[in-house]
Amino acid sequence: MIQFRPVRHLIALLLSVAAVIAADAPLPSPGEIVANCIQAGERTWRNVNRQPPEVSSRELFSYALALCEAKTKPERLEKLFDTAAQMQDRDPQGRGYGNFRWSWSHEGVLDFNAVDFCMQQGALLWMRHRDTMPAAAREKLRPILELAGEGLLRHRVTESYTNIALMNAGNLILLGEAMDKPALADEGYARLDRICLYMAQGGTHEYCSPTYYGVDLDDLVLIEAFCKRESGRAQARALLEFLWTDIALNWFPPAQKLGGARSREYDYLRGIGFLDQQLMANGWLTQTGKQRVAFISTAFIRWRPPARLKTMSETKLPRLVTQVWGLEKSQSRTHYLCRDVTLSTAGAGYGGRMDLPLCADLPGDREGVRCYFIPDGRHDPYGKVKIQETKAHAKTLHLQPFWTAAQRRVDALGLAVYRDKDVPPETQTLESHFVMPLAVDGFWIGERRVEFTPGKAAEFSLRPGDAVVLRKGTAAVGVRVPWARDLASRTATAALVYDANAFGAVRLTVTHHVAQSGATKVEAAAAFWVRIGSNLKDEGEFAEWRRQFAAAKADVEVSPERVRIAVAGVDGPVAVSAVAPYAKSLSTEPPQPRTVLACDGDDIGKRLLGSIEPVKSFMAKRAASVPVKVPADKDVYWEAEAGEVIPPMSCGEDSAASGSLFVWMPAKPGERASSRVGSATWELRVEKAGRYYLWARVLAPTPENDSFYLRAFTDDAEIIEPTTWPTGTRKQWQWIRVTPERMKSPVPLTLPAGPVSLQLRVREAGTKIDRLFLTPQAAAEPR
């Protein structure tokens, strides 16, 4: 057990921070990066020549580009392109036409992102080296790229899938311009416009991911370096600055990595990922003997993060970072960073079973263990056992319960509820863990110090509400479980556990799964309250901090319909609540932040993205828009095109439509496509609060083109959470009453007096809307 020495640890911490600030790492040259890629590519070459080959399609293009950049071994290109051609889907009737098998061993196109990963280098091969590569290799590459263009067009990526959406848009731009195909490039620029519009409102959906932020930066580096239109380069520069500002604000210097909650994590314990390639290439990390910059995109970096961002990350402490990661009210994130500890929450579950929505970070080696909450159904709290996610990929997935959380600086409260759909039938265990590092200066349960010996398992049972506290240097992290229940509706057991793992981790585990014949099955649940302490200079300050946390009040209200947890935070109350069937978050205290990307309340992200087109014009149109006046006790009509229309929603022309205009996301009848950002929003001014019935004049040509998402909201509340509105097939313009999915009869909208926003978002492209009609009379029909 490491013993605590307060003065020694304080001095060591100050020296480590000073060393971090003192100097940046040297920048690797493009030639050095290419040489590293050539060295790494030798493995690809060996695997290409196996029988059968053991390669991924993206490797073929990455290695080919590295060879061309290094002007070496051109005779290898034909073999690489022959292999790529064999991995490309060439069936015009197939869904994967133009795409690639991710791996040679796959029976077909299983991961439709493959064409994007391949063309990230494929476009540059043609743009930079078509005239210098051997003629035979060039003739093999040309048809591959021609077909891949079709694959890129067919791969319609929602704007919230940030890393692939950026990659897809960039590939269309660069491949279209390289091959003199303006239609491809135009579509790429249009898709990039939509991403900018989405991020200006919903931030980076794949938030704070140490893997996907690296991919995002690679995508933008290539657009900024090689696209021909200044508008595209300006967008790429703005998005690069936005993402690097995000990285800087969430960077924890004493651990030299991103801190806080994140959306998609491949390394639960350490929180390190592909972003390291960009960090090393830009001087934020130093290359080591085992970790080098070996990804070819980094050789083309032209725009680099300003030095002020790294300085800010290291000196502006403490700071409160708030950001959104989607368009819904609960899709938000809070991160409070001190010089020696951080605490962070996400307001809702991300989806995808890889998020870490409640985290704390401590100083130390980059390889050190973080603190994080994880919902677990297979006894894998450390994320070390991969399971099949799709036919193409295996990942370390966890469960996906309902989640809500709130945070007020040093106090965070999270609630997980496990619904039936969240627990697969084959689940053998059901546990909620809060994982912590073993390598700290001590652990306490209340006033009792507990000891762990590396390699020797130990377990300490907890009483309801017990405070578990760890100390590292001048920092402390405390955890309490105000409430937890098992599958039999009893109080779930909890314990502080060291299972003698080889990863250097300890965990506070709530066990929900109880085998009891005849028990009434209810939703298992657990609430975790985490508090951090900073700058605790001596044993007396730490003991007082620990005492105050253990004594702080927690109120729990539970009924079959509702759960509400409230705790007494240092800076004020923190509370979460949820209502059965636990499908959405309710109000939290404090409210969820809705800043795009802010530091101490200053929304830097809104300014950065508001300066570029098409965001600038959209914001100006929004400011100039005239609201629809809803008079008391009277009907009102308005044109769909009078709202704020965000691409890919757009206005279309039809002489049979009112005013000859309508709104839709363009698509051919039967074509399947959607968009997270495409929407039409109408600002209403309601004179009298009450119940209103909404009608719309629609044309929906096929069952694949007959629905929208409906939403109504104010600045303070969601009146209608985003819900599916199936219009039904309507082959001619027809007035229909708006009826949400699964409702047997029309449901009135209960609208407050004052400003209300009514929004339709794309669910299925090709569905058209012409006019809207709002009435307080249940029997009234539009003319």
Side-chain angles (χ1 to χ4, degrees):
M1 183 69 190
I2 301 173
Q3 298 299 314
F4 176 66
R5 299 289 186 269
V7 176
R8 185 192 73 196
H9 281 281
L10 177 59
I11 293 173
L13 174 62
L14 293 175
L15 288 175
S16 68
V17 172
V20 167
I21 297 174
D24 289 338
L27 298 179
S29 68
E32 180 184 350
I33 294 171
V34 171
N36 291 341
C37 293
I38 291 292
Q39 183 179 359
E42 286 301 312
R43 178 178 176 275
T44 297
W45 184 245
R46 290 194 299 271
N47 289 338
V48 166
N49 287 286
R50 294 180 185 275
Q51 292 300 326
E54 297 178 4
V55 291
S56 67
S57 49
R58 68 180 298 196
E59 286 180 80
L60 302 172
F61 294 94
S62 296
Y63 184 46
L65 182 58
L67 292 175
C68 290
E69 291 293 327
K71 298 181 174 59
T72 187
K73 301 176 182 175
E75 69 280 0
R76 293 187 173 184
L77 295 176
E78 285 189 64
K79 177 74 171 181
L80 295 172
F81 298 155
D82 277 337
T83 307
Q86 293 176 70
M87 296 179 73
Q88 190 171 31
D89 186 340
R90 302 201 164 187
D91 177 6
Q93 305 306 315
R95 181 187 165 201
Y97 184 53
N99 215 309
F100 297 86
R101 306 201 310 271
W102 184 272
S103 172
W104 180 275
S105 62
H106 293 164
E107 66 271 19
V109 177
L110 303 179
D111 185 334
F112 285 81
N113 298 335
V115 68
D116 292 291
F117 280 101
C118 291
M119 287 305 101
Q120 202 175 35
Q121 285 76 50
L124 295 186
L125 277 166
W126 198 256
M127 178 180 289
R128 292 172 61 81
H129 303 290
R130 63 185 169 193
D131 295 329
T132 56
M133 70 174 61
R138 181 170 59 250
E139 292 311 307
K140 289 181 180 293
L141 179 60
R142 182 193 296 272
I144 294 173
L145 300 183
E146 295 271 0
L147 206 54
E150 179 64 25
L152 292 170
L153 283 173
R154 292 186 176 205
H155 192 212
R156 290 180 173 263
V157 185
T158 182
E159 296 82 7
S160 61
Y161 194 3
T162 316
N163 79 104
I164 304 300
L166 285 169
M167 192 183 299
N168 179 263
N171 287 341
L172 283 166
I173 291 169
L174 300 188
L175 189 62
E177 292 179 340
M179 302 193 74
D180 195 24
K181 292 182 177 293
L184 277 186
D186 288 346
E187 179 61 22
Y189 284 112
R191 293 185 186 187
L192 183 58
D193 280 350
R194 298 200 290 266
I195 296 167
C196 291
L197 284 165
Y198 179 88
M199 293 180 73
Q201 300 171 86
T204 305
H205 193 73
E206 294 174 311
Y207 66 89
C208 210
S209 170
T211 293
Y212 292 104
Y213 271 19
V215 182
D216 296 336
L217 293 175
D218 283 341
D219 300 337
L220 292 167
V221 159
L222 298 181
I223 297 172
E224 197 281 329
F226 296 115
C227 86
K228 292 181 178 180
R229 299 183 195 175
E230 173 54 29
S231 61
R233 294 195 298 274
Q235 289 172 328
R237 288 191 294 270
L239 292 175
L240 280 165
E241 185 169 0
F242 175 77
L243 284 168
W244 274 108
T245 302
D246 189 337
I247 291 165
L249 289 175
N250 289 295
W251 187 253
F252 185 45
Q256 285 290 276
K257 56 188 174 184
L258 280 182
R262 64 271 319 267
S263 58
R264 302 179 71 186
E265 177 65 271
Y266 286 83
D267 184 356
Y268 297 155
L269 285 166
R270 302 177 307 156
I272 296 173
F274 181 68
L275 176 60
D276 281 6
Q277 289 285 303
Q278 282 282 341
L279 293 169
M280 290 186 292
N282 284 281
W284 283 47
L285 291 178
T286 301
Q287 295 186 95
T288 65
K290 68 175 184 178
Q291 188 178 27
R292 314 290 292 173
V293 181
F295 198 76
I296 194 69
S297 295
T298 57
F300 307 119
I301 292 173
R302 296 195 321 175
W303 188 97
R304 295 188 182 277
R308 61 178 168 76
L309 291 180
K310 193 161 191 289
T311 300
M312 175 187 66
S313 76
E314 296 164 337
T315 59
K316 190 174 177 57
L317 294 163
R319 62 179 177 267
L320 179 67
V321 180
T322 57
Q323 59 197 112
V324 295
W325 49 271
L327 302 176
E328 316 306 338
K329 184 179 178 182
S330 59
Q331 291 176 325
S332 63
R333 177 181 181 273
T334 302
H335 189 194
Y336 187 61
L337 298 93
C338 303
R339 290 191 176 274
D340 49 0
V341 64
T342 88
L343 178 64
S344 180
T345 56
Y350 175 80
R353 300 187 292 165
M354 296 171 67
D355 59 329
L356 298 180
L358 171 61
C359 296
D361 288 277
L362 291 160
D365 192 289
R366 290 192 85 232
E367 304 287 327
V369 173
R370 309 176 70 231
C371 301
Y372 60 88
F373 162 78
I374 181 171
D376 182 18
R378 52 196 186 90
H379 203 61
D380 183 29
Y382 315 119
K384 293 298 179 181
V385 182
K386 290 185 178 182
I387 59 176
Q388 208 66 28
E389 181 193 34
T390 64
K391 290 182 179 179
H393 302 293
K395 298 178 180 178
T396 55
L397 305 177
H398 58 58
L399 295 179
Q400 189 173 302
F402 166 83
W403 172 264
T404 184
Q407 181 176 346
R408 197 185 296 274
R409 294 186 180 268
V410 299
D411 285 279
L413 179 64
L415 172 66
V417 180
Y418 298 86
R419 302 154 296 186
D420 282 350
K421 68 178 183 178
D422 303 329
V423 185
E426 66 274 14
T427 300
Q428 298 300 310
T429 63
L430 183 57
E431 299 166 314
S432 297
H433 309 286
F434 189 78
V435 175
M436 298 167 281
L438 175 64
V440 297
D441 299 318
F443 286 91
W444 285 258
I445 299 175
E447 292 300 310
R448 175 171 58 112
R449 182 164 182 158
V450 297
E451 305 283 344
F452 294 113
T453 302
K456 185 177 180 180
E459 181 172 326
F460 301 89
S461 296
L462 302 176
R463 297 170 301 179
D466 269 351
V468 173
V469 174
L470 65 83
R471 186 180 187 186
K472 186 167 187 178
T474 58
V477 177
V479 190
R480 289 172 58 182
V481 181
W483 174 72
R485 69 183 177 198
D486 63 18
L487 290 176
S489 198
R490 301 178 304 195
T491 299
T493 60
L496 179 61
V497 180
Y498 172 59
D499 52 19
N501 64 80
F503 315 121
V506 176
R507 53 187 166 86
L508 191 167
T509 294
V510 175
T511 302
H512 305 285
H513 186 276
V514 176
Q516 180 177 335
S517 177
T520 300
K521 188 172 182 180
V522 299
E523 290 92 350
F528 285 82
W529 176 9
V530 181
R531 176 179 291 178
I532 59 171
S534 174
N535 196 30
L536 303 173
K537 299 182 182 66
D538 55 38
E539 186 63 37
E541 288 189 9
F542 172 65
E544 178 61 18
W545 181 92
R546 191 175 68 236
R547 185 195 66 77
Q548 289 182 6
F549 180 53
K553 188 177 180 182
D555 292 320
V556 180
E557 301 173 18
V558 180
S559 70
E561 297 81 26
R562 186 171 182 265
V563 175
R564 185 178 188 274
I565 316 287
V567 301
V570 171
D571 300 313
V574 182
V576 297
S577 58
V579 174
Y582 309 108
K584 63 181 181 180
S585 300
L586 295 183
S587 59
T588 61
E589 190 175 0
Q592 298 291 348
R594 291 306 299 168
T595 49
V596 176
L597 175 64
C599 180
D600 296 329
D602 178 17
D603 199 338
I604 304 169
K606 185 176 181 179
R607 287 200 306 277
L608 288 173
L609 298 184
S611 65
I612 57 172
E613 293 293 354
V615 180
K616 189 175 181 180
S617 294
F618 166 71
M619 294 301 182
K621 182 180 178 182
R622 169 179 284 180
S625 64
V626 177
V628 176
K629 294 182 180 180
V630 181
D633 303 320
K634 292 184 179 179
D635 306 335
V636 62
Y637 291 86
W638 68 92
E639 299 292 331
E641 63 271 16
E644 299 166 3
V645 180
I646 299 179
M649 284 276 249
S650 63
C651 293
E653 296 185 6
D654 184 344
S655 60
S658 173
S660 299
L661 294 175
F662 63 89
V663 172
W664 69 326
M665 176 179 169
K668 299 175 183 177
E671 181 182 0
R672 295 180 181 272
S674 187
S675 166
R676 285 291 185 96
V677 69
S679 64
T681 305
W682 303 277
E683 300 301 329
L684 312 181
R685 292 295 182 270
V686 182
E687 186 173 314
K688 180 182 178 181
R691 301 200 307 173
Y692 293 83
Y693 295 86
L694 180 64
W695 292 70
R697 191 169 186 252
V698 301
L699 193 156
T702 77
E704 286 74 37
N705 316 106
D706 69 344
S707 67
F708 292 104
Y709 287 117
L710 171 69
R711 180 186 178 211
F713 57 98
T714 67
D715 288 342
D716 301 319
E718 292 280 332
I719 298 169
I720 302 176
E721 294 272 356
T723 185
T724 300
W725 169 37
T727 65
T729 302
R730 315 284 171 174
K731 294 187 179 295
Q732 295 180 338
W733 288 110
Q734 182 178 346
W735 281 104
I736 61 169
R737 192 158 8 195
V738 175
T739 305
E741 190 174 40
R742 290 188 294 274
M743 296 294 183
K744 294 183 179 179
S745 59
V747 177
L749 313 182
T750 302
L751 302 181
V756 174
S757 298
L758 180 68
Q759 184 179 82
L760 288 183
R761 294 220 303 261
V762 175
R763 184 174 185 270
E764 293 177 317
T767 318
K768 302 176 181 180
I769 182 165
D770 175 26
R771 295 192 87 196
L772 295 101
F773 171 70
L774 190 66
T775 176
Q777 307 299 324
E781 294 187 10
R783 300 183 299 277

